Amino acid sequence: EQLKNLNKIKPFIISIFLCSLAWLLESILLYVTFRFLNISLSFKEATLIRTAMGIGGVISLLPGGLLTSESTAVALSIGYGYGRIEALAGTLFIRIYTLFVPSLMGFIALMVQKDLVNPYLKSK
């Protein structure tokens, strides 16, 4: 029964939407971070860095893509002509964003689930 629920089209579309939204938000945050560091990074470059960072982390097979995703982001940033310090700072911030953005989205998704009982919101 639970396997049938996973194969329905509505949960599939919702999960694709939420994953795409998280990826887009992380790309926007990377773009904004580089703007605060006075780097003229385009949104297209920020999106490419975020995508390559994710792919590099998955290919490495290490937990959380440790070190490979960061080195991919730093290498791409340096490849675009930005300084090492700015590339490292942007990479550290995007690593924080990749932790908190999906966690916050997951928390919100759990709070709006109608079939879950929240003991703190339940009336006595």
Side-chain angles (χ1 to χ4, degrees), residues 4-20:
K4 279 186 190 178
N5 289 335
L6 288 175
N7 291 326
K8 291 182 181 175
I9 192 73
K10 185 178 176 182
F12 178 71
I13 290 174
I14 290 171
S15 65
I16 293 293
F17 172 74
L18 289 176
C19 292
S20 299

Side-chain angles (χ1 to χ4, degrees), residues 95-121:
R95 193 55 146 153
I96 293 169
Y97 300 148
T98 57
L99 172 68
F100 287 111
V101 170
S103 297
L104 181 62
M105 289 177 65
F107 180 74
I108 292 170
L110 283 174
M111 289 296 115
V112 299
Q113 289 292 319
K114 295 175 185 167
D115 56 343
L116 296 177
V117 177
N118 190 339
Y120 299 110
L121 298 178

